[in-house]
Amino acid sequence: MKKTLKVFAIIIGIVLVFLVYVQFTFKQKFEVPVTGIKASSDSATIAHGKYLVLGASHCYACHTNDSLRALKLKEPLMGGNVYKTPFGNFNIPNITMDKETGIGNFSDEQLARAIRYNVNHEGFAMAGFMSYNSMSDEDITAIISYLRTTTPVRNQVPEHDLNMLGKVIVRFLIKPYEEVQVSKVVPDSTAEYGKYFAYTLGQCNSCHTKRDKLGRFVGQPFAGGFEWDMPDAKYMSANLTPDDTTGRIAHWGEEVFIQRFRAGRLLEGSPMPWEGYQQISDRDLKALYKFFNSLEPVKNNTVTYVPKPKEPAIAEN
Ligand code: HEC
Ligand code: HEC
């Protein structure tokens, strides 16, 4: 009996020491390569950056406060949204040019490293919300150049509030993106550029490929089936492969595909950032269309929208 107690006490002791160790060391600084990327004041570069930040790459969808989003404002990237996860709460940073509470005092290199390697301005590895790592030098340059033109908004966003499980995960599992393949692309309407757009610029794969609870890809690329339980309905990402019977766009001509994007949001609660994608240029939509049609057809019936019954207006007693 005494011996069991002793073993038990030792185990508790080890666990406590481990937790104290995690508490003090969970934030790890990482050295990542220098990108050498510098912001430009060229107006075409800034305009392309704006197209990416507020459109195709939809940075606004996370970095704009929800209350602003309800007003359909995509600027000013002031942060403040809270992502509640089983690992604790992540507070989305302010990426306006404010010097004290935003990115005003971060160097171009710090911003470029955040986008390419997923380390924040202090060198800490960030949780994998962003996966723009293979973006070309030109596109990262454009994004940073646009961010430099944003109106500074003072909004002090608190640090993430992680629980012990979150801290253990950050300490041992969260790493910067190390194996980065920088893309070299020629923007045009080919399937090849569409592939770059779908995986990197627009991150279509992050929702249109099925993932498990830890965010790992488990489905066939772009065959849809990833689900969301939203207040108004259950949503599922559509199968974008050209399967004759289950592919959502299999019978859409290129023009129908383009018009679907021009129409923007049709389902109020859909997680897809349609407001940004609505602005994708014809050329880029043509490239996406060619790319999706070049994929292997995958049979996967995706029921994208199942509305929930509305709450009765008068409660029944
Ligand atoms: C899916 C949500 C999401 C999208 C989309 C997104 N971000 Fe982020 N971003 C985050 C979160 C969450 C963090 C903080 C992560 C952490 O600290 O672990 C962050 C951190 C950052 C940081 C680091 C700030 C610092 O303190 O160093 C920068 C810079 C940034 N994002 C820029 C961008 C840009 C530019 C885009 C678009 C190309 C973008 N983000 C798109 C969620 C997002
Ligand atoms: C944040 C998740 C998310 C991202 C990112 C995303 N989608 Fe979707 N997509 C969805 C969901 C959910 C649906 C089903 C609900 C709807 O139609 O809005 C959907 C539906 C669609 C549809 C079918 C629309 C219809 O009317 O039937 C097309 C086409 C589509 N997505 C293409 C894309 C492309 C192209 C991209 C990248 C540029 C993309 N999606 C990025 C979640 C996403």
Side-chain angles (χ1 to χ4, degrees), residues 229-235 305-313 316:
D229 197 353
M230 304 298 258
D232 66 326
K234 284 196 170 169
Y235 291 90
Y305 176 62
V306 182
K308 291 182 182 171
K310 290 235 178 338
E311 296 283 316
E316 289 168 51

Side-chain angles (χ1 to χ4, degrees), residues 52-53 57-63 83 90-95 102-103 106 110-112 114-115 118-130 132 135 143-144 147 160 170 174 201 203:
L52 296 177
V53 172
S57 305
H58 57 278
C59 317
Y60 79 88
C62 297
H63 285 278
Y83 277 14
F90 287 86
N91 296 302
I92 314 282
N94 176 349
I95 56 169
I103 60 164
F106 301 176
Q110 280 170 312
L111 293 173
I115 300 170
N118 225 26
V119 292
N120 79 357
H121 64 286
E122 295 173 292
F124 297 131
M126 298 195 283
F129 289 93
M130 301 187 288
Y132 302 105
M135 225 182 231
I143 286 177
I144 294 174
L147 291 179
H160 304 319
V170 168
I174 304 289
L201 288 189
Q203 306 263 309

Side-chain angles (χ1 to χ4, degrees), residues 58 197-198 202-204 206-208 226 228 235-238 240 248-249 252 257 260-261 266-267 270-274 277 280 288 292 304:
H58 57 278
F197 199 109
Q203 306 263 309
C204 315
S206 72
C207 293
H208 282 273
F226 195 30
W228 289 262
Y235 291 90
M236 184 190 276
S237 59
L240 300 178
R248 176 58 60 108
I249 64 171
W252 295 7
F257 183 76
R260 175 65 194 87
F261 279 83
L266 299 181
L267 299 168
S270 170
M272 178 157 157
W274 283 104
Y277 292 149
I280 300 177
L288 281 169
F292 294 133
T304 55

